Amino acid sequence: MNYYSTNKKSKKVSFKDAVIKGIADDGGLFLPEYFPVFPEKFVNEINEFSFQEISYKIAASFIEDEIPSSILNAIIERAINFDAPLSRLNENTNILELFYGPTLAFKDFGARFMAEVLSYFSKESKQDINILVATSGDTGSAVSNGFFDMEGIKVYLLYPSKKVSHIQEMQLTTLDRNITALEVEGTFDDCQKLVKQAFLDSEITRNLFLSSANSINIARLLPQSFYYFNAYKQLKDKKKPLIFSVPSGNFGNLTGGLIAKKMGLPVDKFIAAVNINDVFPVYLNTGKFIPKPSIKTISNAMDVGNPSNFHRILDLYNNNLDKLNNEITSYSFSDLQTKKAIKEIYNKSNYLIDPHGAVGYLALEEYITKNHIESFNGIILETAHPSKFADIMEEVVNENIQIPARLAKCLHKEKKSTKISKEYDDFKNYLINQQ
Ligand SMILES: *Cc1c(COP(=O)(O)O)cnc(C)c1O
């Protein structure tokens, strides 16, 4: 299977090259040239397969013989070594808990899988691979945990100074060894811009072997389709219309769902739930894509003004706005609404949902109310554990939030970061001096 660039100017490449390059030479994003479709029998008999078996089947159909099956199996076993359970909120609504990985966010799935795959492909290379990651909080810690202490790999995390939570910052800055945290005086979009520019700078790429680990990397994206199938497996009555509500920022998680549907998962509707950073719903309503500077909210991992997977999503639907509107609905919510939802879910169902999941809840409610849907399988993707946002949660529900041990251990370590400005030349000089 080959992978093409969404800009359609560079040549198609193998899976290996797509993973190592991260972004195509023409600046586009990689997508598989077709989507393998599972036989109906597999979907009907999905309950007979474990999460890891489902994951293996999906991965193998995209990677084919580029990774031998025994090795791919071992990669899945190491990367997808925690569960994604479906928790029932009420008769129609379920919460897909994606926070059982080491950094308590769904990004662990993609990051761990990509780290394993990249490490496998880099075994033949003599040069170190430098991973550049722009992070609004959770990506950075998931990626650096995935790559931590892997031989031949160096990770540079760029995060916006003072715009991530205290716990997130400690997760990003306390790993050390092959992980370097760069504290950028700017926004997440500035961080993303710096990374993009470095990839297009031949003075850098001539000397440094670069790879990206943002949600733009195809190896991050594919594993994000695994848990959609596994969520469907856990539904008791599979005949009701299936609706996924996905809290979205860069839209990588949602794209994973769209891929699952293309492979045969019977999804009726995707809802892209966003905070007040609303370029996507505006696009669906008007056909105009107008990137904006991001605005800070309490669901900070979704504070994205120029979603990086936007062009992938367009390409999946041949740039056809009607088709897109058929598949996806999108709604935007304020922080005030988000806090009210957290409180409501806690009071009604005794469930602690984090601010990102709460936006997903609001979007699902809005969709079913507007469309008068009475019986359905609603699945809200809970993208992070509520304790990652303990300060907001405590303020809203007025109770102490327990921080799981795997998260708390970074709080006692020493923060190590290097401050840089948002000017590209500063970043470039820094990278060149690392040689
Ligand atoms: C990254 C992240 C999101 C947004 O996911 P995208 O794939 O960028 O749309 C939502 N919630 C949390 C907790 C995240 O870490």
Side-chain angles (χ1 to χ4, degrees), residues 105-107 138-139 215 224 247-253 301-302 354 356 383-384 389:
F106 83 93
K107 294 191 175 73
D138 290 329
T139 302
S215 51
Q224 290 173 182
S248 295
N250 271 314
F251 289 77
N253 203 0
M302 312 195 316
D354 95 293
H356 304 80
T383 47
F389 312 94

Side-chain angles (χ1 to χ4, degrees), residues 262-326:
K262 290 210 175 258
M263 297 184 78
L265 189 68
V267 183
D268 285 86
K269 197 77 178 184
F270 289 99
I271 306 173
V274 299
N275 58 32
I276 49 168
N277 293 281
D278 63 354
V279 293
F280 193 73
V282 167
Y283 172 75
L284 288 185
N285 287 329
T286 65
K288 294 198 177 78
F289 181 61
I290 309 161
K292 288 190 260 191
S294 57
I295 304 163
K296 192 170 154 58
T297 73
I298 57 168
S299 47
N300 66 33
M302 312 195 316
D303 296 351
V304 182
N306 186 4
S308 57
N309 281 289
F310 179 73
H311 293 285
R312 253 191 190 128
I313 294 182
L314 276 198
D315 219 78
L316 288 177
Y317 296 98
N318 299 322
N319 293 294
N320 183 323
L321 189 61
D322 291 336
K323 269 195 208 161
L324 209 56
N325 269 308
N326 251 335

